[in-house]
Structure formats: C-alpha cells, structure tokens
Amino acid sequence: MVRLLLVFAAMLALACGGARSAKLDLATVNQAQFTAGESEDVDPTLLKAQILLDRARFSPGLIDGRLSENFAKAVGAFQQANGLRSDGKLTAETWSKLTETSSDPVLVTYEVTRKDVRGPFTRRIPARMERMARLRRLAYRNAAEKLAERFHVSEELLKMLNPGVGFRRPGKTLIVPDVGRGDPPAAVAGIEVDKGARLVRVLDPSGKWLAVYPASIGSDENPAPSGMAEVKRVVRNPTYHYDPDFAFKGVKAKRPFTIAAGPNNPVGSVWIDLSIESYGIHGTPEPGKIGTTFSHGCIRLTNWDAEDLGSMVQPGTKVEFKNEIAGAVDELAP
C-alpha cells in the first residue's frame, strides 16, 4: 500500500511539473491575459509583461517571468511615462496600456544557426581578475549562455521554454522572446543616472523618458560621481585595464594588467566612456545581479541594455548624476 502511494505521489508530481511547463508554451504566453495575484512560479502573464516592457525600452533587466525589484521598477517607470499611478504593480489598467504598445507575439520560434554553436567559447572563467588576464578572450561559456543573452533571458528560463532541447546543434528550433526594440530614438537630449532609484534614463529634449534601464551604481566606499558629465566615446567589445590605484577588494596585483575583450569581460560588451576619468557606463558578465549589487563607482547595465544605450549616444551627449545611493547588497564589481 505504501509503495502504491509513493508511485501515485510520484506520478502526481510529474503531472504537476508537466502542467507547470505547459503554461510556458507558445500559445499560452502569447495569449496570456491580466490576472490578479502573485505566484512564486514562472508566470505566463508576468513573462509577457516583461517582454513587452523590454520591447518598449522600459527594461526589466533579466527576463525570467518572476516578480522582482527590477520588474517593479520597470512597471513603475512605464506607468509614470504613460500618466498612470506609479506604484510598480501590474494592474489591469497598466496591462491594458502595456499591451497597446505592441500587437506582435511575445514568444516566437528561432532556428539555431552554426554561428550560435560554433563559438569560440571560454568554458572556464576564473573568479579572480588577475587570472582572467591570462585568458586570450572572455567569450561566452557555451551556446546556451550566448543564446540566453541574445534573447535577454536567464538560462533557466530558456531551458524551461525548451524542455529537453539541446543548444549545441544547428537546426534546432527554439521558443524565445521576441525582444526586438526597433530603431533607437533619434532625438536623445541626455542621460540621467538616478543613484537613489538605481536607474538610467534616456531623455528627449522635453524631458520625456525614451528608455529606462535598471543599473548597479557605485557604493558608499566607491561612490558614483555627482553633477554633470558627458559621453566621450563608445567602445564596443572593450578590453579592461586594471590600475592598482583602484585597490579593488580581492585584487592583490601591484602592477597594471589588461583583461581581454568579450561579453564575460568585467565591463561586458560595451564601454561608454565618460568625461570623468576612469568612469563609464558599461555592460556586465552577470546580468542577474544588475540593480541588486554595488559597483566600484561605474554604472553597470546588462550587456543588451548597454548596447542599446550605446546606439543612442554620441560624443558630447550630456549625463547627469542625481540623488544618493539606496541600499543594496555589498558585492562589488567594476
């Protein structure tokens, strides 16, 4: 009898697991409607909302289909930009306005190409920066990480959307978010780095928000700058140069060293150089930590948000730093 009960429990667990996965199929997510309440599981309504926000350039950071601080900040920014009550909660009114931004499906199919799986990859990346400097490149670790970043999702969600599908062979068909943001806005008047909200905003000449990105911005020990600055240049696929005068926690090197380029470089795939020496806005190899950790003074975005911002700015674009740093866990990175 006990054995029968255990078998039944196992079958029930499998059935429930299958039902949860079924919620993330193409039709269910694309046709999701607003529902009140909160779920600890990946939710098709939240997933659809995150993709729509990302597409509208109110970035939720890493798309994972779950409630998070970055998602709430993206919702709040979208609400404020659209004249709604800005409480960061996905309401029926907000959902209605958000779904008006695009009628295209949020999930689409994608065929894995030879380029996706060919690499080159850097399968083992050391934690210490001195050891990173020994590598020839800081590429993606594998095809799964490369594809996940391309579609702005966590590797966990990519696998949930594609259960049992491998990422190493070209020709495989995947279900992925359609995160095409369209052409960058032309009338960019300036950038606002809000240290208190941990957000970077792109403004038009009237002050309207053209894009909003979650960010990791400085710390008490290594604060981000204050006042005004401007963009000097945009460097894509940058190398990273460490100066011992930085005295970063955990770095013992007494001589300068250079870390090779690549998306897993400490400054990610883009460096937006600012007129304040040694400071910039840049990408990161760990998109899941954006907005939840401190930095060594610079402004970190996900690689895809940094690339998007880099496509909008040019030398001379004004950058304003405002407010004080709010609390965050004290893990430091460049």
Side-chain angles (χ1 to χ4, degrees):
M1 182 65 179
V2 172
R3 181 176 295 176
L4 287 173
L5 287 173
L6 289 173
V7 170
F8 176 75
M11 292 175 64
L12 182 62
L14 286 171
C16 291
R20 186 178 296 119
S21 296
K23 290 181 181 180
L24 296 183
D25 63 33
L26 203 69
T28 302
V29 177
N30 284 337
Q31 297 170 14
Q33 299 299 316
F34 174 75
T35 54
E38 298 182 358
S39 171
E40 294 183 358
D41 295 325
V42 175
D43 182 271
T45 298
L46 292 179
L47 177 55
K48 184 174 181 177
Q50 287 178 342
I51 297 169
L52 288 171
L53 286 164
D54 184 285
R55 194 183 286 174
R57 288 190 166 92
F58 290 86
S59 174
L62 192 68
I63 294 172
D64 60 5
R66 301 178 187 274
L67 291 171
S68 67
E69 183 180 349
N70 283 342
F71 174 64
K73 289 194 291 187
V75 171
F78 178 83
Q79 290 169 327
Q80 187 163 339
N82 286 274
L84 304 175
R85 179 187 175 191
S86 181
D87 58 6
K89 297 179 180 179
L90 187 62
T91 62
E93 185 181 20
T94 303
W95 174 265
S96 177
K97 195 74 174 179
L98 183 58
T99 54
E100 289 175 4
T101 62
S102 176
S103 59
D104 293 335
V106 293
L107 292 184
V108 294
T109 57
Y110 173 79
E111 185 175 306
V112 178
T113 68
R114 293 186 181 277
K115 184 178 180 181
D116 292 327
V117 302
R118 187 171 58 232
F121 298 117
T122 305
R123 301 194 182 279
R124 294 184 180 180
I125 298 178
R128 292 186 59 184
M129 295 176 71
E130 297 98 324
R131 293 181 179 177
M132 288 183 192
R134 302 174 188 173
L135 301 178
R136 296 179 61 185
R137 65 178 63 89
L138 274 293
Y140 294 112
R141 293 177 175 85
N142 49 48
E145 183 184 39
K146 183 178 182 180
L147 287 163
E149 182 147 310
R150 174 173 180 169
F151 297 107
H152 306 181
V153 298
S154 64
E155 289 185 58
E156 176 190 11
L157 180 60
L158 185 64
K159 293 172 182 176
M160 291 179 70
L161 289 169
N162 300 280
V165 178
F167 304 103
R168 297 182 180 179
R169 294 176 58 187
K172 290 286 187 180
T173 298
L174 305 180
I175 295 174
V176 298
D178 179 359
V179 289
R181 289 173 169 172
D183 294 334
V188 173
I191 309 300
E192 187 175 79
V193 179
D194 190 328
K195 294 188 282 186
R198 298 198 296 278
L199 290 171
V200 171
R201 306 183 186 99
V202 181
L203 311 178
D204 76 358
S206 69
K208 177 184 176 182
W209 297 352
L210 300 173
V212 180
Y213 310 112
S216 293
I217 307 172
S219 67
D220 290 336
E221 293 77 18
N222 299 273
S226 297
M228 298 296 299
E230 62 181 42
V231 172
K232 289 177 61 179
R233 58 179 179 153
V234 178
V235 182
R236 291 173 175 83
N237 203 32
T239 55
Y240 176 73
H241 305 285
Y242 179 78
D243 187 328
D245 289 343
F246 296 161
F248 288 172
K249 181 179 179 181
V251 182
K252 299 179 180 179
K254 302 300 182 184
R255 295 182 178 180
F257 58 82
T258 298
I259 297 177
N264 276 312
N265 176 293
V267 292
S269 59
V270 175
W271 170 266
I272 300 173
D273 197 25
L274 301 182
S275 56
I276 304 172
E277 186 177 0
S278 300
Y279 285 99
I281 304 172
H282 61 83
T284 179
E286 298 181 289
K289 293 183 177 181
I290 289 298
T292 65
T293 58
F294 290 129
S295 76
H296 279 296
C298 286
I299 301 91
R300 279 186 289 148
L301 310 176
T302 65
N303 276 338
W304 54 87
D305 286 341
E307 290 166 9
D308 194 42
L309 180 61
S311 71
M312 300 181 202
V313 300
Q314 57 188 349
T317 299
K318 301 299 181 184
V319 180
E320 180 182 6
F321 291 85
K322 57 182 296 185
N323 295 340
E324 297 300 323
I325 295 175
V329 294
D330 60 348
E331 180 173 335
L332 295 177

